[in-house]
Amino acid sequence: MFSNKADVLNLINTQMKAVLKKQSELAGDAFATNVGFDVMRQRYIEERRFWNEGGPVMAKIHDDVVESFDGASIPVRYYYPSTASCDSPLPAIEYIHGGGFVVGSIDTHDRITRMLAHETGAVVVSVDYPLSPEAKFPKALEACVAVAAYLHEHGDKHGILPNDISFAGDSGGANLSLASFLYLRDEMEDASFIKTMLLYYGMYGLKDSCGYRLYGGSWDGLDASDMEYYLDCYCADKEKDLQSPYLNCLSADLTKHVAPCYIASAEYDPLIDDSRTLHRMLQIHGMTSEYEEFKGVIHAFLHHTRMLDEAQRALDHGASFFRRQHTHYLAK
């Protein structure tokens, strides 16, 4: 079968090309999925270490744990921006990291979360949910929902407004962010305290698309076999799980009671049509949704603010959307 793939490495912008060159220097074939998940995780850590250097300084960073519904301990990290006041509780953003549900951690996304706290003025709570294949669907989802429920019930202990929680996430973390909201709304029957969602280049349920046919390769670890690998790791029963509205989020009820969404995509990402479709579904049903496509870049570009202007813009614009939804306080 002929692939008809686009020549992505010649289409991306100059800064994105420089990022890929740096990635190769840092960890070689950083996103290969045929080396075993232990090696994948180590390469991911090594490659991300450089991109996490520098960035905003927080007023306070605090590590803690939250108990999941099954009694397991979920590590979380609280980021308090320099604008935080000891006397004034702030909204919180629960940040759910990407990595195909298989790699990634609080540490690999540290600069993103610090920048988001700095730009929004909110407390960012980063979640170290259990990874696959050790933890199958819906374990990661349940962990993320448990953290949101905890912040709603006990946020005041952490200088957080319990009724003003938002979700943010990249890639698999964007899927988990939207899925967590839907689970709270439909299974726990209360997502009223979730005020905003910032969703960066997520997978929401398309099984084929223009983006799948044109993009994805060794440069981003997202060719067809890679995506199958991640889903095989994540799913306990693939056929059944892919029908769940908490994995295939586009099959959920998106016609009512969805928190305002900022949806960002990358121009040369095989998942771009997932974001476009989610936005269009929300838009056509009158939900608040803002969509933005960042030009000349590939999947996971948000990490690269040290070298990539589009990454900085994406975080700035998501933060701006967040602030527009929070008129009761001035973030900056």
Side-chain angles (χ1 to χ4, degrees):
M1 183 182 294
F2 198 77
S3 73
N4 295 303
K5 288 274 190 176
D7 187 3
V8 170
L9 295 180
N10 282 323
L11 291 171
I12 56 177
N13 66 35
T14 301
Q15 288 185 338
M16 193 77 249
K17 290 176 182 177
V19 165
L20 291 182
K21 181 180 178 182
K22 185 65 178 179
Q23 282 184 331
S24 180
E25 294 171 0
L26 292 169
D29 193 357
F31 308 118
T33 57
N34 61 354
V35 294
F37 57 87
D38 287 329
V39 174
M40 286 174 62
R41 289 171 184 168
Q42 188 55 42
R43 287 182 178 178
Y44 194 83
I45 290 167
E46 291 171 2
E47 193 274 333
R48 294 303 186 215
R49 188 176 293 119
F50 169 83
W51 302 109
N52 281 309
E53 294 175 0
V57 176
M58 298 288 95
K60 181 174 69 171
I61 296 175
H62 172 62
D63 287 345
D64 207 342
V65 295
V66 170
E67 186 174 304
S68 188
F69 300 129
D70 63 3
S73 294
I74 310 160
V76 296
R77 180 172 295 165
Y78 295 82
Y79 293 86
Y80 294 84
S82 58
T83 53
S85 167
C86 295
D87 302 321
S88 302
L90 293 171
I93 299 172
E94 178 178 336
Y95 194 87
I96 306 176
H97 70 78
F101 314 111
V102 174
V103 301
S105 67
I106 289 173
D107 292 329
T108 61
H109 286 63
D110 176 71
R111 180 168 169 136
I112 292 175
T113 44
R114 283 185 288 118
M115 292 184 71
L116 197 56
H118 176 73
E119 295 293 336
T120 61
V123 179
V124 172
V125 185
S126 189
V127 183
D128 232 347
Y129 58 86
L131 297 176
S132 299
E134 299 95 327
K136 296 287 189 176
F137 177 83
K139 287 296 186 182
L141 170 64
E142 291 170 348
C144 295
V145 171
V147 171
Y150 174 84
L151 295 175
H152 177 48
E153 294 171 10
H154 304 291
D156 52 351
K157 298 178 182 178
H158 302 277
I160 288 168
L161 294 166
N163 289 315
D164 198 336
I165 312 299
S166 294
F167 284 117
D170 64 294
S171 191
N175 174 280
L176 284 166
S177 292
L178 180 55
S180 295
F181 171 84
L182 294 168
Y183 191 96
L184 286 164
R185 186 195 69 180
D186 297 339
E187 303 296 329
M188 301 183 72
E189 300 183 344
D190 183 16
S192 61
F193 59 94
I194 304 298
K195 302 304 183 185
T196 318
M197 288 186 277
L198 308 179
L199 306 174
Y200 291 93
Y201 44 81
M203 181 278 290
Y204 305 114
L206 292 186
K207 296 178 176 63
D208 195 6
S209 69
C210 178
Y212 284 177
R213 297 299 181 103
L214 286 176
Y215 312 130
S218 60
W219 50 89
D220 57 12
L222 284 180
D223 67 19
S225 63
D226 294 323
M227 288 193 278
E228 285 300 312
Y229 171 84
Y230 288 118
L231 286 174
D232 287 342
C233 286
Y234 189 49
C235 295
D237 181 333
K238 194 172 180 182
E239 183 176 354
K240 178 183 176 182
D241 293 344
L242 287 174
Q243 296 178 26
S244 169
Y246 310 121
L247 180 52
N248 178 3
C249 298
L250 297 177
S251 70
D253 183 356
L254 301 175
T255 68
K256 61 183 184 296
H257 309 311
V258 179
C261 291
Y262 174 78
I263 302 169
S265 67
E267 184 177 14
Y268 299 116
D269 184 350
L271 297 177
I272 187 171
D273 293 301
D274 285 62
S275 291
R276 287 172 171 167
T277 304
L278 174 62
H279 167 65
R280 186 61 180 142
M281 283 181 170
L282 294 172
Q283 184 184 52
I284 207 166
H285 292 297
M287 301 295 101
T288 300
S289 176
E290 181 176 307
Y291 173 74
E292 191 167 9
E293 180 181 310
F294 290 87
K295 301 297 184 181
V297 296
I298 63 173
H299 190 81
F301 73 97
L302 204 64
H303 287 274
H304 304 130
T305 48
R306 292 187 66 179
M307 295 176 61
L308 190 62
D309 292 341
E310 290 295 88
Q312 181 67 61
R313 287 181 61 244
L315 286 167
D316 288 346
H317 293 186
S320 177
F321 179 87
F322 177 88
R323 294 196 303 271
R324 292 198 302 273
Q325 304 304 315
H326 289 76
T327 56
H328 56 278
Y329 85 105
L330 183 64
K332 293 191 73 178

